[in-house]
């Protein structure tokens, strides 16, 4: 029982430090920089690039493709599946006052906004 209490207190302290202070920002940034440096070194040594696959995005993309018409599918394939392009699409075509997309039906446009 005593071990669980210590573990709970430790978890609470870490949560507090992470959410309420900036004490962990420097170590986190340092760790991320080190990981990026290692990835760059591996890239330069092997001549390959490490690509991270977002499996959730791949599944969502499959679900979306199944519901689009041929014309809509061509337009959807023009949207690169990067966080920046998805954010750009959402900024332009999602929201209560967003204009209607020239290719996607209103239902499919809403579906894209909800699932991307």
């Amino acid at each position: 029982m005593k071990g669980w209490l210590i573990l709970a207190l430790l978890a609470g302290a870490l949560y507090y430090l992470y959410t309420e202070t900036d004490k962990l920002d420097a170590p986190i940034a340092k760790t991320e920089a080190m990981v990026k440096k290692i990835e760059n070194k591996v890239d330069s040594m092997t001549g390959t690039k490490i690509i991270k696959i977002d499996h959730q995005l791949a599944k969502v993309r499959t679900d979306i493709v199944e519901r689009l018409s041929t014309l809509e599918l061509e337009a959807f394939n023009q949207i690169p599946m990067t966080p920046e392009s998805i954010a750009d699409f959402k900024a332009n075509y999602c929201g209560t006052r967003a204009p209607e997309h020239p290719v996607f039906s209103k239902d499919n446009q809403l579906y894209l906004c909800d699932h991307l």
Side-chain angles (χ1 to χ4, degrees), residues 20-60:
E20 301 296 326
T21 68
D22 60 354
K23 300 282 186 213
L24 294 178
D25 290 348
I28 290 171
K30 192 175 184 180
T31 302
E32 288 174 349
M34 186 171 53
V35 167
K36 186 66 175 166
K37 186 177 177 182
I38 291 169
E39 285 178 353
N40 290 340
K41 189 168 226 160
V42 169
D43 288 348
S44 67
M45 287 173 34
T46 62
T48 60
K49 185 173 184 173
I50 297 173
I51 300 172
K52 296 178 183 170
I53 298 173
D54 186 350
H55 294 289
Q56 181 180 4
L57 185 59
K59 181 174 178 353
V60 167

Side-chain angles (χ1 to χ4, degrees), residues 3 6 11 13 20 41 48 50 59 61 71-72 76 78 88-89 93 97 114:
I6 292 171
E20 301 296 326
K41 189 168 226 160
T48 60
I50 297 173
K59 181 174 178 353
R61 188 179 191 301
L71 186 62
E72 290 174 326
F76 180 70
Q78 297 299 317
D88 187 45
F89 178 86
Y93 296 108
R97 297 182 187 225
D114 290 342

Side-chain angles (χ1 to χ4, degrees), residues 1-2 5 9 11 13 15 21 29 31 33 37 40 45 48 52 55 62 71 74-75 85-86 93 102 105 108-109 115:
M1 188 70 169
K2 197 178 203 182
L5 180 61
L9 289 174
Y15 179 78
T21 68
T31 302
K37 186 177 177 182
N40 290 340
M45 287 173 34
T48 60
K52 296 178 183 170
H55 294 289
T62 304
L71 186 62
E74 288 176 13
S85 63
I86 292 172
Y93 296 108
S105 69
N108 284 340
Q109 181 178 340
H115 291 88

Side-chain angles (χ1 to χ4, degrees), residues 7-23:
L7 184 61
L9 289 174
L10 182 62
L14 282 174
Y15 179 78
Y16 173 79
L17 287 173
Y18 183 73
T19 58
E20 301 296 326
T21 68
D22 60 354
K23 300 282 186 213

